[in-house]
Amino acid sequence: MMFGTGLKMRHQNHRTVEMTGAFDGGIATLSHGLRVGTRVASHLGWRAIDALAVGDKVLTFDHGMQDVVEIRRAHVWLDASDTAEVFWPVVVPAGALGNREDLTLLPDQGVMIESDAALDMLGDPFAIVTAHSLVGLRGIHRRQPKQRVELVAVYFEHDEVIFAEGAH
């Protein structure tokens, strides 16, 4: 499964992400980042995203192994039971998109798919779609969060799409 950048939501009405450790009354949302424990393809094999460090190499779709230049952590679903449905995570069951394990994604997380329709329309068989746009396909669904979750986002010199598998 491959993940890229997503689209930011234009209207937000609920506190969903706290990036700094101190909520200032504003709302921030993440469109990328993977749940702690999610494994990514690295120069050391499949490795938990939270075990990566700046300078580690991660396998990217277009440019092979690339150095991680920055890592950010955030917590989402701070008020899990009160989270508005539009912010609920998207669950991709094992096998739905060629993934070996269930994946829990941010609703605006970019997911790269290979599609004949994309080839016909765009001249390229690969397209990045948001996780929430896949709801209803092959058992992909939203699930109300039960607890706050830590996410880790890795950054490279340029925007990249990385390979990832589910968390234990």
mmCIF file with all atom_site columns, all heavy atoms in Angstrom, residues 20 26-28 38 53 58-59 67 72 81 83 98 103 111 122 130-131 139 142 156 158 165 167:
data_model
loop_
_atom_site.group_PDB
_atom_site.id
_atom_site.type_symbol
_atom_site.label_atom_id
_atom_site.label_alt_id
_atom_site.label_comp_id
_atom_site.label_asym_id
_atom_site.label_entity_id
_atom_site.label_seq_id
_atom_site.pdbx_PDB_ins_code
_atom_site.Cartn_x
_atom_site.Cartn_y
_atom_site.Cartn_z
_atom_site.occupancy
_atom_site.B_iso_or_equiv
_atom_site.pdbx_formal_charge
_atom_site.auth_seq_id
_atom_site.auth_comp_id
_atom_site.auth_asym_id
_atom_site.auth_atom_id
_atom_site.pdbx_PDB_model_num
ATOM 1   N N   . THR A 1 20  ? 1.113   20.702 19.384  1.00 0.00 ? 20  THR A N   1
ATOM 2   C CA  . THR A 1 20  ? 2.175   21.331 20.157  1.00 0.00 ? 20  THR A CA  1
ATOM 3   C C   . THR A 1 20  ? 2.254   20.880 21.608  1.00 0.00 ? 20  THR A C   1
ATOM 4   O O   . THR A 1 20  ? 3.226   21.168 22.273  1.00 0.00 ? 20  THR A O   1
ATOM 5   C CB  . THR A 1 20  ? 1.964   22.850 20.181  1.00 0.00 ? 20  THR A CB  1
ATOM 6   O OG1 . THR A 1 20  ? 0.751   23.111 20.898  1.00 0.00 ? 20  THR A OG1 1
ATOM 7   C CG2 . THR A 1 20  ? 1.907   23.422 18.792  1.00 0.00 ? 20  THR A CG2 1
ATOM 8   N N   . GLY A 1 26  ? -7.569  26.889 18.733  1.00 0.00 ? 26  GLY A N   1
ATOM 9   C CA  . GLY A 1 26  ? -7.704  26.755 17.287  1.00 0.00 ? 26  GLY A CA  1
ATOM 10  C C   . GLY A 1 26  ? -7.824  25.301 16.893  1.00 0.00 ? 26  GLY A C   1
ATOM 11  O O   . GLY A 1 26  ? -7.697  24.398 17.711  1.00 0.00 ? 26  GLY A O   1
ATOM 12  N N   . ILE A 1 27  ? -8.068  25.102 15.624  1.00 0.00 ? 27  ILE A N   1
ATOM 13  C CA  . ILE A 1 27  ? -8.214  23.741 15.122  1.00 0.00 ? 27  ILE A CA  1
ATOM 14  C C   . ILE A 1 27  ? -7.153  23.501 14.069  1.00 0.00 ? 27  ILE A C   1
ATOM 15  O O   . ILE A 1 27  ? -6.966  24.292 13.166  1.00 0.00 ? 27  ILE A O   1
ATOM 16  C CB  . ILE A 1 27  ? -9.597  23.507 14.503  1.00 0.00 ? 27  ILE A CB  1
ATOM 17  C CG1 . ILE A 1 27  ? -10.660 23.726 15.561  1.00 0.00 ? 27  ILE A CG1 1
ATOM 18  C CG2 . ILE A 1 27  ? -9.713  22.124 13.900  1.00 0.00 ? 27  ILE A CG2 1
ATOM 19  C CD1 . ILE A 1 27  ? -12.061 23.696 15.019  1.00 0.00 ? 27  ILE A CD1 1
ATOM 20  N N   . ALA A 1 28  ? -6.460  22.385 14.201  1.00 0.00 ? 28  ALA A N   1
ATOM 21  C CA  . ALA A 1 28  ? -5.505  21.971 13.181  1.00 0.00 ? 28  ALA A CA  1
ATOM 22  C C   . ALA A 1 28  ? -5.883  20.569 12.762  1.00 0.00 ? 28  ALA A C   1
ATOM 23  O O   . ALA A 1 28  ? -6.337  19.774 13.575  1.00 0.00 ? 28  ALA A O   1
ATOM 24  C CB  . ALA A 1 28  ? -4.086  21.976 13.750  1.00 0.00 ? 28  ALA A CB  1
ATOM 25  N N   . THR A 1 38  ? 2.669   1.439  12.539  1.00 0.00 ? 38  THR A N   1
ATOM 26  C CA  . THR A 1 38  ? 2.541   1.142  11.110  1.00 0.00 ? 38  THR A CA  1
ATOM 27  C C   . THR A 1 38  ? 3.943   0.977  10.539  1.00 0.00 ? 38  THR A C   1
ATOM 28  O O   . THR A 1 38  ? 4.832   1.776  10.805  1.00 0.00 ? 38  THR A O   1
ATOM 29  C CB  . THR A 1 38  ? 1.802   2.274  10.368  1.00 0.00 ? 38  THR A CB  1
ATOM 30  O OG1 . THR A 1 38  ? 0.514   2.429  10.958  1.00 0.00 ? 38  THR A OG1 1
ATOM 31  C CG2 . THR A 1 38  ? 1.660   1.970  8.889   1.00 0.00 ? 38  THR A CG2 1
ATOM 32  N N   . ALA A 1 53  ? 14.335  7.485  12.413  1.00 0.00 ? 53  ALA A N   1
ATOM 33  C CA  . ALA A 1 53  ? 15.036  8.678  12.871  1.00 0.00 ? 53  ALA A CA  1
ATOM 34  C C   . ALA A 1 53  ? 15.440  9.498  11.649  1.00 0.00 ? 53  ALA A C   1
ATOM 35  O O   . ALA A 1 53  ? 15.541  8.970  10.538  1.00 0.00 ? 53  ALA A O   1
ATOM 36  C CB  . ALA A 1 53  ? 16.276  8.284  13.675  1.00 0.00 ? 53  ALA A CB  1
ATOM 37  N N   . VAL A 1 58  ? 13.927  5.683  3.552   1.00 0.00 ? 58  VAL A N   1
ATOM 38  C CA  . VAL A 1 58  ? 12.611  5.071  3.365   1.00 0.00 ? 58  VAL A CA  1
ATOM 39  C C   . VAL A 1 58  ? 12.388  4.913  1.868   1.00 0.00 ? 58  VAL A C   1
ATOM 40  O O   . VAL A 1 58  ? 12.754  5.790  1.077   1.00 0.00 ? 58  VAL A O   1
ATOM 41  C CB  . VAL A 1 58  ? 11.504  5.939  4.006   1.00 0.00 ? 58  VAL A CB  1
ATOM 42  C CG1 . VAL A 1 58  ? 10.120  5.413  3.673   1.00 0.00 ? 58  VAL A CG1 1
ATOM 43  C CG2 . VAL A 1 58  ? 11.692  5.988  5.525   1.00 0.00 ? 58  VAL A CG2 1
ATOM 44  N N   . LEU A 1 59  ? 11.790  3.787  1.481   1.00 0.00 ? 59  LEU A N   1
ATOM 45  C CA  . LEU A 1 59  ? 11.523  3.508  0.078   1.00 0.00 ? 59  LEU A CA  1
ATOM 46  C C   . LEU A 1 59  ? 10.375  4.376  -0.414  1.00 0.00 ? 59  LEU A C   1
ATOM 47  O O   . LEU A 1 59  ? 9.284   4.368  0.154   1.00 0.00 ? 59  LEU A O   1
ATOM 48  C CB  . LEU A 1 59  ? 11.180  2.033  -0.118  1.00 0.00 ? 59  LEU A CB  1
ATOM 49  C CG  . LEU A 1 59  ? 10.911  1.596  -1.561  1.00 0.00 ? 59  LEU A CG  1
ATOM 50  C CD1 . LEU A 1 59  ? 12.128  1.829  -2.451  1.00 0.00 ? 59  LEU A CD1 1
ATOM 51  C CD2 . LEU A 1 59  ? 10.494  0.128  -1.584  1.00 0.00 ? 59  LEU A CD2 1
ATOM 52  N N   . ASP A 1 67  ? 16.307  9.904  2.113   1.00 0.00 ? 67  ASP A N   1
ATOM 53  C CA  . ASP A 1 67  ? 16.589  10.236 3.508   1.00 0.00 ? 67  ASP A CA  1
ATOM 54  C C   . ASP A 1 67  ? 15.410  10.943 4.153   1.00 0.00 ? 67  ASP A C   1
ATOM 55  O O   . ASP A 1 67  ? 14.838  11.871 3.562   1.00 0.00 ? 67  ASP A O   1
ATOM 56  C CB  . ASP A 1 67  ? 17.798  11.158 3.613   1.00 0.00 ? 67  ASP A CB  1
ATOM 57  C CG  . ASP A 1 67  ? 19.103  10.482 3.232   1.00 0.00 ? 67  ASP A CG  1
ATOM 58  O OD1 . ASP A 1 67  ? 19.206  9.249  3.386   1.00 0.00 ? 67  ASP A OD1 1
ATOM 59  O OD2 . ASP A 1 67  ? 20.019  11.195 2.786   1.00 0.00 ? 67  ASP A OD2 1
ATOM 60  N N   . ARG A 1 72  ? 7.599   14.477 12.473  1.00 0.00 ? 72  ARG A N   1
ATOM 61  C CA  . ARG A 1 72  ? 6.663   15.187 13.355  1.00 0.00 ? 72  ARG A CA  1
ATOM 62  C C   . ARG A 1 72  ? 5.703   14.178 13.963  1.00 0.00 ? 72  ARG A C   1
ATOM 63  O O   . ARG A 1 72  ? 5.299   13.226 13.313  1.00 0.00 ? 72  ARG A O   1
ATOM 64  C CB  . ARG A 1 72  ? 5.871   16.229 12.577  1.00 0.00 ? 72  ARG A CB  1
ATOM 65  C CG  . ARG A 1 72  ? 6.707   17.365 12.060  1.00 0.00 ? 72  ARG A CG  1
ATOM 66  C CD  . ARG A 1 72  ? 5.862   18.390 11.383  1.00 0.00 ? 72  ARG A CD  1
ATOM 67  N NE  . ARG A 1 72  ? 6.693   19.356 10.679  1.00 0.00 ? 72  ARG A NE  1
ATOM 68  C CZ  . ARG A 1 72  ? 6.223   20.260 9.862   1.00 0.00 ? 72  ARG A CZ  1
ATOM 69  N NH1 . ARG A 1 72  ? 4.920   20.344 9.626   1.00 0.00 ? 72  ARG A NH1 1
ATOM 70  N NH2 . ARG A 1 72  ? 7.029   21.086 9.258   1.00 0.00 ? 72  ARG A NH2 1
ATOM 71  N N   . SER A 1 81  ? -14.683 9.966  21.842  1.00 0.00 ? 81  SER A N   1
ATOM 72  C CA  . SER A 1 81  ? -16.112 9.640  21.827  1.00 0.00 ? 81  SER A CA  1
ATOM 73  C C   . SER A 1 81  ? -16.976 10.774 21.294  1.00 0.00 ? 81  SER A C   1
ATOM 74  O O   . SER A 1 81  ? -18.105 10.556 20.873  1.00 0.00 ? 81  SER A O   1
ATOM 75  C CB  . SER A 1 81  ? -16.581 9.227  23.220  1.00 0.00 ? 81  SER A CB  1
ATOM 76  O OG  . SER A 1 81  ? -16.390 10.304 24.119  1.00 0.00 ? 81  SER A OG  1
ATOM 77  N N   . THR A 1 83  ? -15.912 12.879 18.778  1.00 0.00 ? 83  THR A N   1
ATOM 78  C CA  . THR A 1 83  ? -15.415 13.277 17.462  1.00 0.00 ? 83  THR A CA  1
ATOM 79  C C   . THR A 1 83  ? -16.522 13.216 16.421  1.00 0.00 ? 83  THR A C   1
ATOM 80  O O   . THR A 1 83  ? -17.218 12.208 16.312  1.00 0.00 ? 83  THR A O   1
ATOM 81  C CB  . THR A 1 83  ? -14.245 12.363 17.031  1.00 0.00 ? 83  THR A CB  1
ATOM 82  O OG1 . THR A 1 83  ? -13.203 12.490 17.999  1.00 0.00 ? 83  THR A OG1 1
ATOM 83  C CG2 . THR A 1 83  ? -13.716 12.732 15.665  1.00 0.00 ? 83  THR A CG2 1
ATOM 84  N N   . GLY A 1 98  ? -4.865  -4.668 -1.489  1.00 0.00 ? 98  GLY A N   1
ATOM 85  C CA  . GLY A 1 98  ? -3.601  -5.383 -1.597  1.00 0.00 ? 98  GLY A CA  1
ATOM 86  C C   . GLY A 1 98  ? -2.790  -5.347 -0.315  1.00 0.00 ? 98  GLY A C   1
ATOM 87  O O   . GLY A 1 98  ? -1.674  -5.842 -0.269  1.00 0.00 ? 98  GLY A O   1
ATOM 88  N N   . LEU A 1 103 ? -5.579  -1.505 8.040   1.00 0.00 ? 103 LEU A N   1
ATOM 89  C CA  . LEU A 1 103 ? -4.944  -0.204 8.201   1.00 0.00 ? 103 LEU A CA  1
ATOM 90  C C   . LEU A 1 103 ? -5.979  0.794  8.689   1.00 0.00 ? 103 LEU A C   1
ATOM 91  O O   . LEU A 1 103 ? -7.121  0.762  8.244   1.00 0.00 ? 103 LEU A O   1
ATOM 92  C CB  . LEU A 1 103 ? -4.384  0.299  6.874   1.00 0.00 ? 103 LEU A CB  1
ATOM 93  C CG  . LEU A 1 103 ? -3.134  -0.383 6.364   1.00 0.00 ? 103 LEU A CG  1
ATOM 94  C CD1 . LEU A 1 103 ? -2.879  0.000  4.914   1.00 0.00 ? 103 LEU A CD1 1
ATOM 95  C CD2 . LEU A 1 103 ? -1.944  0.012  7.223   1.00 0.00 ? 103 LEU A CD2 1
ATOM 96  N N   . VAL A 1 111 ? -3.951  8.094  -0.539  1.00 0.00 ? 111 VAL A N   1
ATOM 97  C CA  . VAL A 1 111 ? -3.667  6.688  -0.801  1.00 0.00 ? 111 VAL A CA  1
ATOM 98  C C   . VAL A 1 111 ? -3.460  6.539  -2.301  1.00 0.00 ? 111 VAL A C   1
ATOM 99  O O   . VAL A 1 111 ? -4.315  6.942  -3.090  1.00 0.00 ? 111 VAL A O   1
ATOM 100 C CB  . VAL A 1 111 ? -4.847  5.780  -0.355  1.00 0.00 ? 111 VAL A CB  1
ATOM 101 C CG1 . VAL A 1 111 ? -4.552  4.320  -0.652  1.00 0.00 ? 111 VAL A CG1 1
ATOM 102 C CG2 . VAL A 1 111 ? -5.161  5.997  1.118   1.00 0.00 ? 111 VAL A CG2 1
ATOM 103 N N   . LEU A 1 122 ? -6.145  10.038 -17.190 1.00 0.00 ? 122 LEU A N   1
ATOM 104 C CA  . LEU A 1 122 ? -4.984  10.866 -16.901 1.00 0.00 ? 122 LEU A CA  1
ATOM 105 C C   . LEU A 1 122 ? -3.724  10.466 -17.662 1.00 0.00 ? 122 LEU A C   1
ATOM 106 O O   . LEU A 1 122 ? -2.720  11.168 -17.607 1.00 0.00 ? 122 LEU A O   1
ATOM 107 C CB  . LEU A 1 122 ? -4.688  10.829 -15.399 1.00 0.00 ? 122 LEU A CB  1
ATOM 108 C CG  . LEU A 1 122 ? -5.853  11.186 -14.471 1.00 0.00 ? 122 LEU A CG  1
ATOM 109 C CD1 . LEU A 1 122 ? -5.484  10.902 -13.022 1.00 0.00 ? 122 LEU A CD1 1
ATOM 110 C CD2 . LEU A 1 122 ? -6.237  12.642 -14.667 1.00 0.00 ? 122 LEU A CD2 1
ATOM 111 N N   . THR A 1 130 ? -8.129  10.422 -1.566  1.00 0.00 ? 130 THR A N   1
ATOM 112 C CA  . THR A 1 130 ? -8.226  10.495 -0.112  1.00 0.00 ? 130 THR A CA  1
ATOM 113 C C   . THR A 1 130 ? -8.873  9.218  0.427   1.00 0.00 ? 130 THR A C   1
ATOM 114 O O   . THR A 1 130 ? -9.715  8.609  -0.234  1.00 0.00 ? 130 THR A O   1
ATOM 115 C CB  . THR A 1 130 ? -9.051  11.718 0.327   1.00 0.00 ? 130 THR A CB  1
ATOM 116 O OG1 . THR A 1 130 ? -10.316 11.665 -0.308  1.00 0.00 ? 130 THR A OG1 1
ATOM 117 C CG2 . THR A 1 130 ? -8.331  13.014 -0.011  1.00 0.00 ? 130 THR A CG2 1
ATOM 118 N N   . ALA A 1 131 ? -8.460  8.835  1.613   1.00 0.00 ? 131 ALA A N   1
ATOM 119 C CA  . ALA A 1 131 ? -8.983  7.613  2.226   1.00 0.00 ? 131 ALA A CA  1
ATOM 120 C C   . ALA A 1 131 ? -10.502 7.647  2.318   1.00 0.00 ? 131 ALA A C   1
ATOM 121 O O   . ALA A 1 131 ? -11.167 6.643  2.034   1.00 0.00 ? 131 ALA A O   1
ATOM 122 C CB  . ALA A 1 131 ? -8.354  7.403  3.601   1.00 0.00 ? 131 ALA A CB  1
ATOM 123 N N   . GLY A 1 139 ? -15.288 -3.149 1.511   1.00 0.00 ? 139 GLY A N   1
ATOM 124 C CA  . GLY A 1 139 ? -15.365 -3.207 2.975   1.00 0.00 ? 139 GLY A CA  1
ATOM 125 C C   . GLY A 1 139 ? -14.679 -2.057 3.692   1.00 0.00 ? 139 GLY A C   1
ATOM 126 O O   . GLY A 1 139 ? -14.613 -2.040 4.921   1.00 0.00 ? 139 GLY A O   1
ATOM 127 N N   . ARG A 1 142 ? -15.659 3.766  7.844   1.00 0.00 ? 142 ARG A N   1
ATOM 128 C CA  . ARG A 1 142 ? -15.247 4.636  8.945   1.00 0.00 ? 142 ARG A CA  1
ATOM 129 C C   . ARG A 1 142 ? -15.557 3.934  10.258  1.00 0.00 ? 142 ARG A C   1
ATOM 130 O O   . ARG A 1 142 ? -16.505 3.154  10.343  1.00 0.00 ? 142 ARG A O   1
ATOM 131 C CB  . ARG A 1 142 ? -16.002 5.961  8.894   1.00 0.00 ? 142 ARG A CB  1
ATOM 132 C CG  . ARG A 1 142 ? -15.570 6.849  7.752   1.00 0.00 ? 142 ARG A CG  1
ATOM 133 C CD  . ARG A 1 142 ? -16.346 8.168  7.852   1.00 0.00 ? 142 ARG A CD  1
ATOM 134 N NE  . ARG A 1 142 ? -16.023 9.071  6.796   1.00 0.00 ? 142 ARG A NE  1
ATOM 135 C CZ  . ARG A 1 142 ? -15.132 10.056 6.887   1.00 0.00 ? 142 ARG A CZ  1
ATOM 136 N NH1 . ARG A 1 142 ? -14.468 10.238 7.997   1.00 0.00 ? 142 ARG A NH1 1
ATOM 137 N NH2 . ARG A 1 142 ? -14.903 10.857 5.868   1.00 0.00 ? 142 ARG A NH2 1
ATOM 138 N N   . PHE A 1 156 ? 10.601  14.370 3.590   1.00 0.00 ? 156 PHE A N   1
ATOM 139 C CA  . PHE A 1 156 ? 11.765  14.182 2.745   1.00 0.00 ? 156 PHE A CA  1
ATOM 140 C C   . PHE A 1 156 ? 12.121  15.518 2.100   1.00 0.00 ? 156 PHE A C   1
ATOM 141 O O   . PHE A 1 156 ? 11.402  16.500 2.257   1.00 0.00 ? 156 PHE A O   1
ATOM 142 C CB  . PHE A 1 156 ? 11.451  13.135 1.664   1.00 0.00 ? 156 PHE A CB  1
ATOM 143 C CG  . PHE A 1 156 ? 10.961  11.846 2.237   1.00 0.00 ? 156 PHE A CG  1
ATOM 144 C CD1 . PHE A 1 156 ? 9.590   11.621 2.401   1.00 0.00 ? 156 PHE A CD1 1
ATOM 145 C CD2 . PHE A 1 156 ? 11.840  10.869 2.653   1.00 0.00 ? 156 PHE A CD2 1
ATOM 146 C CE1 . PHE A 1 156 ? 9.128   10.451 2.954   1.00 0.00 ? 156 PHE A CE1 1
ATOM 147 C CE2 . PHE A 1 156 ? 11.387  9.682  3.204   1.00 0.00 ? 156 PHE A CE2 1
ATOM 148 C CZ  . PHE A 1 156 ? 10.029  9.469  3.363   1.00 0.00 ? 156 PHE A CZ  1
ATOM 149 N N   . HIS A 1 158 ? 11.760  16.335 -0.888  1.00 0.00 ? 158 HIS A N   1
ATOM 150 C CA  . HIS A 1 158 ? 10.635  16.656 -1.774  1.00 0.00 ? 158 HIS A CA  1
ATOM 151 C C   . HIS A 1 158 ? 9.453   15.784 -1.372  1.00 0.00 ? 158 HIS A C   1
ATOM 152 O O   . HIS A 1 158 ? 9.633   14.770 -0.702  1.00 0.00 ? 158 HIS A O   1
ATOM 153 C CB  . HIS A 1 158 ? 11.010  16.380 -3.237  1.00 0.00 ? 158 HIS A CB  1
ATOM 154 C CG  . HIS A 1 158 ? 12.229  17.123 -3.676  1.00 0.00 ? 158 HIS A CG  1
ATOM 155 N ND1 . HIS A 1 158 ? 12.219  18.461 -3.966  1.00 0.00 ? 158 HIS A ND1 1
ATOM 156 C CD2 . HIS A 1 158 ? 13.501  16.710 -3.844  1.00 0.00 ? 158 HIS A CD2 1
ATOM 157 C CE1 . HIS A 1 158 ? 13.436  18.852 -4.309  1.00 0.00 ? 158 HIS A CE1 1
ATOM 158 N NE2 . HIS A 1 158 ? 14.242  17.811 -4.239  1.00 0.00 ? 158 HIS A NE2 1
ATOM 159 N N   . GLU A 1 165 ? 2.578   -0.769 5.575   1.00 0.00 ? 165 GLU A N   1
ATOM 160 C CA  . GLU A 1 165 ? 1.692   -1.875 5.954   1.00 0.00 ? 165 GLU A CA  1
ATOM 161 C C   . GLU A 1 165 ? 1.136   -1.583 7.332   1.00 0.00 ? 165 GLU A C   1
ATOM 162 O O   . GLU A 1 165 ? 1.620   -0.709 8.030   1.00 0.00 ? 165 GLU A O   1
ATOM 163 C CB  . GLU A 1 165 ? 2.459   -3.201 5.986   1.00 0.00 ? 165 GLU A CB  1
ATOM 164 C CG  . GLU A 1 165 ? 2.567   -3.882 4.650   1.00 0.00 ? 165 GLU A CG  1
ATOM 165 C CD  . GLU A 1 165 ? 1.241   -4.483 4.170   1.00 0.00 ? 165 GLU A CD  1
ATOM 166 O OE1 . GLU A 1 165 ? 0.332   -4.723 4.977   1.00 0.00 ? 165 GLU A OE1 1
ATOM 167 O OE2 . GLU A 1 165 ? 1.128   -4.717 2.958   1.00 0.00 ? 165 GLU A OE2 1
ATOM 168 N N   . ALA A 1 167 ? -0.339  -1.741 11.338  1.00 0.00 ? 167 ALA A N   1
ATOM 169 C CA  . ALA A 1 167 ? 0.289   -1.822 12.662  1.00 0.00 ? 167 ALA A CA  1
ATOM 170 C C   . ALA A 1 167 ? -0.171  -3.080 13.368  1.00 0.00 ? 167 ALA A C   1
ATOM 171 O O   . ALA A 1 167 ? -1.228  -3.607 13.083  1.00 0.00 ? 167 ALA A O   1
ATOM 172 C CB  . ALA A 1 167 ? -0.100  -0.590 13.484  1.00 0.00 ? 167 ALA A CB  1
#
